[in-house]
Amino acid sequence: MSLECLSSAKSFDGWHKQYSHPSTSTHCNMRFAIYLPPQTATGEKVPVLYWLSGLTCTDENFMQKAGAFAEAARLGIAIVAPDTSPRGEGVADDPEGRYDFGLGAGFYLNATQAPYNEHYQMYDYIVHELPKLVEENFPVTSTRAISGHSMGGHGALMIALKNPERYTSVSAFSPIANPINCPWGQKAFTGYLGADQSLWREYDSSLLLADCKPEDRRPALVDQGDADSFLTEQLKPEALTAAAKKSDFPLTLRMQSGYDHSYFFISSFIDDHLRFHHQYLASS
């Protein structure tokens, strides 16, 4: 597969690099960024944390704002941040031009409804295509963890719950925890998946977590700010708590006093999340 390097910058003795490539899943060019810690300079292969960003974001938001590279360099963890949706000429967008659907709002699912089903196959891209590409082209192992924010927190939890064999651990900041019961999720699921709510349930983290079998449980950490303006209407962390209780799932959900939905919040606790994942990545 053809990889085009768009940018490269040294950071904490490692390298942040941004790439573009033609995707067989989304049928358009996709962009992602990777941080390679200094351990890879000597040929060592390192595990990978996949980061999924939120509505309106690209790969750049996390890589430029989260402040994750110092701890990732110390721990020897690569970070891969994909874009949040397919983009480019011919890729369908929200007909009303809203931020919460279409470009920048792929919701990490496989769309079934035209015209979105042609390109919006983000689930396949994140779960299968991107890891294969990364593991074939960079000094990394097949040991993976996954994390994300808001829509990306939804994506990280949902993908880890559906693919426990692929990830050692999962974490999220301010995830859309119960998308079938919030306006963001209902709009996205209707547009991408249609009216059949049995398809919606396949992408709802709280419902998946409630039904999680003991052998499929993976350690999970969620941080949520109690000053988040989206907390009550859109995020609904209480649904995760109830689901974890139902299935006896090992979920740690921390309500963080005074924090909002921004990258100020993420940057305050990202080191905690890297250390959380490291203990499981290192033991796999």
Side-chain angles (χ1 to χ4, degrees), residues 82-93:
D83 204 346
T84 53
S85 79
R87 299 181 194 267
E89 186 176 353
V91 176
D93 196 4

Side-chain angles (χ1 to χ4, degrees), residues 109-243:
L109 50 73
N110 284 339
T112 61
Q113 302 299 298
Y116 304 102
N117 56 343
E118 181 180 358
H119 298 290
Y120 286 79
Q121 303 295 312
M122 289 297 293
Y123 178 87
D124 282 350
Y125 178 72
I126 298 298
V127 175
H128 301 294
E129 183 179 356
L130 183 60
K132 184 175 187 293
L133 183 153
V134 168
E135 289 160 22
E136 289 178 350
N137 289 277
F138 299 96
V140 301
T141 70
S142 60
T143 304
R144 315 174 197 95
I146 192 166
S147 186
H149 171 233
S150 193
M151 178 185 72
H154 139 76
L157 290 168
M158 175 269 293
I159 285 171
L161 287 163
K162 290 171 72 71
N163 302 275
E165 75 285 354
R166 296 184 66 84
Y167 305 97
T168 63
S169 49
V170 59
S171 72
F173 290 84
S174 315
I176 303 173
N178 190 201
I180 69 169
N181 287 317
C182 78
W184 279 341
Q186 290 165 353
K187 178 177 180 177
F189 287 2
T190 300
Y192 293 134
L193 302 173
D196 183 357
Q197 294 198 12
S198 66
L199 294 179
W200 297 17
R201 296 179 65 86
E202 295 180 15
Y203 295 104
D204 188 292
S205 296
S206 291
L207 299 181
L208 293 169
L209 195 152
D211 293 335
C212 188
K213 298 176 182 178
E215 63 270 22
D216 292 337
R217 295 170 188 162
R218 295 294 180 270
L221 171 64
V222 173
D223 274 321
Q224 172 65 61
D226 68 4
D228 192 319
S229 60
F230 302 114
L231 178 61
T232 302
E233 182 180 27
Q234 302 283 14
L235 304 180
K236 303 183 182 297
E238 67 278 1
L240 283 179
T241 302

Side-chain angles (χ1 to χ4, degrees), residues 259-278:
Y259 285 92
D260 61 13
H261 201 70
S262 72
Y263 268 82
F264 295 110
F265 171 44
I266 294 170
S267 63
S268 297
F269 297 99
I270 190 61
D271 285 359
D272 282 358
H273 285 240
L274 287 165
R275 289 189 289 265
F276 166 77
H277 289 294
H278 179 256

Side-chain angles (χ1 to χ4, degrees), residues 67-109:
F69 295 162
E71 192 67 1
R74 187 183 73 82
L75 296 172
I77 298 174
I79 301 173
V80 171
D83 204 346
T84 53
S85 79
R87 299 181 194 267
E89 186 176 353
V91 176
D93 196 4
D94 186 301
E96 299 176 354
R98 294 287 303 275
Y99 75 94
D100 55 358
F101 186 77
L103 300 183
F107 268 81
Y108 305 104
L109 50 73

